[in-house]
Amino acid sequence: MTSGDRPGPRNFIEEIVEEDIRTGKYGGRVHTRFPPEPNGYLHIGHAKAICISYGIADKYNGLYNLRFDDTNPTREEQQYIDAIKEDIRWLGFDWEDREYYASDYYEQLYEWGLQLIRKGKAYVDDLTAEQIREHRGTLTTPGKESPFRNRSVEENLGLFERMRKGDFPDGSRVLRAKIDMAAANMNMRDPVMYRILHATHPRTGDKWCIYPTYDWAHGQSDSIEGITHSLCSLEFENHRPLYDWFLEELEVHHPQQIEFARLNLNYTITSTRKLRTLVEEEFVSGWDDPRMPTLSAMRRRGYTPEAIRRFCDNVGVAKADNVIDIAKLEHYLREDLNKTAPRVMAVLRPLKLVIDNYPEDKIEELDAVNNPEDPSMGMRKVPFSRLLYIEQDDFREEPPPKYYRLAPGREVRLRYAYFVKCVDVVKDKDGKVIEVHCTYDPETRGGDAPDGRKVKATLHWVSSAQAIRAEVRLYDRLFTRSDPNEVEGEGKDFRANLNANSLETLTDCRLEPSLSSVKASDRYQFERLGYFCVDPDSRVDKLIFNRTVSLRDTWAKIEEAQEKGKG
RNA sequence: UGGGGGAUCGUUCAAUGGUAGGACGGUUGACUCUGGAUCAACUAAUCGGGGUUCGACUCCCUGUCCCCCAGCCA
C-alpha cells in the first residue's frame, strides 16, 4: 500500500507518525513494539495497546516486535511468557522472528552502565533503600545528595564490578544515575539503575545477581531494537525526560516515546496486581476464569479475536482518562457472533410440554436454518415429538402485560415446528407448574398457518427423548459497582465489590441432539438466549457450555421497567 | 503549595479559525418463524469567566476540576 491510498490519520499518534514519515525523521521507517512484563496474564487493556502498536506498524508498512521486559526475576515466570505469546497469537498478531527479551541485553546494559560511570554520570550508592527514600525529598522539597555521590570513577568501577561478581548481599548497594537531586521531576533525582538481587531469572538463570531497573532497561532496549515510535501509557510521561537523558548520554539511536491513555472498562479491573489477587485468593478459579478480563479468560468464555480487535479499533486513542462502557465490548462481540455462530436450540431451565393430540410414538425430523445471517451455513434436522421441553421463562400462568409467550389458552409457535395452544397445566404439591399441556395444529407444520393467522411469540424447544443433557455456566459481571475501586468504609478495597452472583451453574439443561459431538471452544447461538461456547473441561459424557454473552433482550427491559414501576 | 498531563452528548472518539459529527447506550417506530438480527427516526455536549476575530471546541488571559509522580515495581 502506498501512502496515497492510505486512509488519513485516525488519532494523534498516527498524526505524529505521518509527520515523521513526511520529514524523514527515521528515514521514513516505522518500527513499534509491545513490551509486556511476564508477571501475569494479558488483559483487555493490553489488547488495546497491542492493537495500537501493531496497527501503526501495519498501517505504515513497518515492523513490530514483541519484547518481554523481564527485568525483575522475583516476579516473572516462564508460564507468563508462554501465556502472553499464546494470547497475542490468538489475537491475530504475528511478530515473526522478532521475539526479544530485555534480558538479552543485560551484557550491553552493563557495558553502558560502565560507560556512564566513566563519564562521571553514574555512581554506586551504599545507602539503604530507606535512606535513599529519605534523601529523595518530597514533591515540594528538593532531595539531598548521597554521601557516596562523589566517589571516584575508579572506586565506582571497582564497586560496580564487584556488585556483578556477587560480592555484596541483596539491597546493600545500587548503581544510580548522577543527575539532579533537586529536580522537580522526581524521576531525575538520581534514579536507581541496578539493584542487587540474588534471584534466579526465568531466562538467564543465576548468571546475574544485579538486575537493571525498568527505567534503565526500557529506553535502551527500544534503542537497540531500532524502534522508532515507543508507544506506552500515560504514567510513563514523567519518565520520558529520564529516557531521553540516558539515550543522549549514551549517544545511541533515540526512539520517540508517545504516551496514550490506557483502556478502562466499567465493572472491570485491569490491574495485573489486582487480578493476581483474585486468582491467589481464589475469588476466581484461575487467570482464565471466564469472568476475568484476561484474554485467556475471554477466549475460554467464547470471545472472538475479531470482536476484541474491532472493539479496540473503535474505542479511540487519546490522552484523556477514560472508562469505556462494557456494553460497547459486548456490542462488537454480538456483532461478530451474530454473523458466525450457528444457531441451535437449547433449553436451560426445562419445563415439560406435552402435546396431547400428537401421536405417542411419532417422531418427525423438521428442517431448521443454521444461520439466517449466512445461508451458506445450510440446514439441519431437528427431531420433534409429543413430549418436549420449553424454557420455564416461556410460560406464565398469569401473564403480565406485554408478555407474548405461552399462557393458558394462548397459542404460540414452536420454532420450525407447529403452533401449539395451552389447554392445561399440571402442578406439584406446592402449586408450581411442572407440566404444560397443549394441542397442536397439524396444518401449521413448519411454522406457518395456511389460514394466515398469526401468533405473537415463537418459542425454542427440545424433544425430550432425543435431548442431550449439559451443564451451562451463566456469567454476570464480576463486580457490582461500575467502578470496582470505589468503596465505602474503612479498610475496604475492590474485593468488597465482588458480585456474589457472578456465576450461576445450571446442571439440568437440554440440548438438541445435533450438539452431541461438539468440541472445546465451539461457539453457538442458543436461539433466543445468547451465545455459548464449549468449555475446555467439557467431556462427551458431560458437556459444559459457557455463556459468552446473552442476546439483547427487549422483554427483560420491559419486565425490569414493570418491576420498577411496582416498586 | 513542586513537576508532568487532561477536560466536547450518559459513555467514547472526531471536528486543527468557517454548519459541533460518528460509535455505543437510551427512546420511538417499521420489519421479522429468535421480544435476535436489520432498517428508520429521535435523544443529547464544547468545564467557568473574560478577551482577540466578520466568525472560536480551536487562539490569548484567568479560574475550577480530574489523573500521574516521593519502588532497589513495571
Side-chain angles (χ1 to χ4, degrees), chain A residues 56 61 82 147 168 213 226 265 268 294 378 410 430 502 511 545 559:
Chain A
I56 295 255
N61 300 311
D82 298 338
F168 310 119
T213 57
L265 276 181
T268 308
T294 56
R410 287 254 186 105
D430 302 319
S502 57
L511 320 178
F545 282 81
E559 197 175 28

Side-chain angles (χ1 to χ4, degrees), chain A residues 214-215 218-219 236 239-247 257:
Chain A
Y214 174 85
D215 278 346
H218 189 77
F236 295 105
H239 296 243
R240 179 156 30 93
L242 173 59
Y243 303 160
D244 289 345
W245 188 89
F246 282 140
L247 264 10
Q257 174 169 301

Side-chain angles (χ1 to χ4, degrees), chain A residues 450-514:
Chain A
D451 64 3
R453 76 182 189 279
K454 301 287 181 191
V455 288
K456 292 278 265 181
T458 299
L459 271 40
H460 62 277
W461 51 273
V462 169
S463 175
S464 170
Q466 296 80 12
I468 310 170
R469 289 174 187 254
E471 174 178 314
V472 173
R473 297 170 182 172
L474 306 181
Y475 302 102
D476 198 352
R477 43 183 61 138
L478 232 200
F479 294 94
T480 55
R481 267 180 205 263
S482 170
D483 176 5
N485 291 312
E486 179 187 292
V487 288
E488 43 200 43
E490 288 300 299
K492 292 197 170 175
D493 64 13
F494 67 100
R495 287 171 291 193
N497 291 324
L498 250 0
N499 177 8
N501 305 313
S502 57
L503 168 62
E504 183 179 6
T505 303
L506 269 19
T507 54
D508 191 31
C509 309
R510 313 298 168 105
L511 320 178
E512 63 167 72
S514 72

